[in-house]
Amino acid sequence: MSRSEFDDIRAFLSDETTHAADLLRVARTLIDDLEQARMREAMLSTYYLRLLTAARASVAAEADGAPDPLAFVKHELGEHGQLPGDGETVSRILADARTAAALLACLEQGSSAGRARGLRLRRCVGTGRRLSH
């Protein structure tokens, strides 16, 4: 949530003409948003720890002389559709912001499947959010 969105919410909350029902709706929406952010953080932490574990296992496998030390990393990348395509160069992958965007889209898709609970009141995040009286 941007700084201006926080300022909008503060102004809405401090406005004495705001009705209790409106405040309750905003509170519920903010709680939903907070819960979704917490779940996303937990999911990203899990992905990070799995990738870190795979990287460490690959380094240990290389030290042990394993025939395919990158198998752990390859598996983890494959699980999320992030294996490099045929002919992709290292420099392209490192410079390609679309790879990161694709990973984020996969993460968003996975997390939104679990929260399809019908229509929400309104989101308190985004650039087009307005609070009404």
Side-chain angles (χ1 to χ4, degrees):
M1 192 177 300
S2 72
R3 178 75 178 161
S4 66
E5 289 172 318
F6 280 114
D7 292 341
D8 289 347
I9 291 169
R10 278 191 191 95
F12 182 74
L13 295 176
S14 65
D15 186 348
E16 293 184 17
T17 63
T18 302
H19 298 286
D22 293 332
L23 293 173
L24 185 59
R25 277 196 301 270
V26 169
R28 286 180 178 149
T29 301
L30 289 171
I31 293 294
D32 284 349
D33 288 349
L34 183 60
E35 181 180 9
Q36 289 174 14
R38 187 190 62 77
M39 293 300 293
R40 181 179 165 100
E41 180 185 9
M43 183 178 59
L44 289 172
S45 292
T46 300
Y47 287 139
Y48 169 77
L49 290 174
R50 288 181 60 170
L51 188 56
L52 181 62
T53 301
R56 293 184 73 226
S58 291
V59 170
E62 181 185 40
D64 284 345
D68 186 12
L70 290 177
F72 304 104
V73 172
K74 289 176 187 176
H75 172 77
E76 198 58 38
L77 292 175
E79 286 283 311
H80 302 289
Q82 295 298 313
L83 282 171
D86 292 337
E88 271 189 294
T89 64
V90 172
S91 59
R92 176 178 155 84
I93 291 170
L94 291 174
D96 191 359
R98 286 180 288 170
T99 303
L103 178 57
L104 286 175
C106 289
L107 296 176
E108 285 288 314
Q109 199 172 24
S111 67
S112 66
R115 61 175 190 224
R117 295 179 275 164
L119 292 175
R120 295 205 36 205
L121 171 67
R122 84 178 137 229
R123 297 284 306 172
C124 282
V125 296
T127 57
R129 182 189 52 74
R130 294 277 183 255
L131 298 173
S132 60
H133 291 267

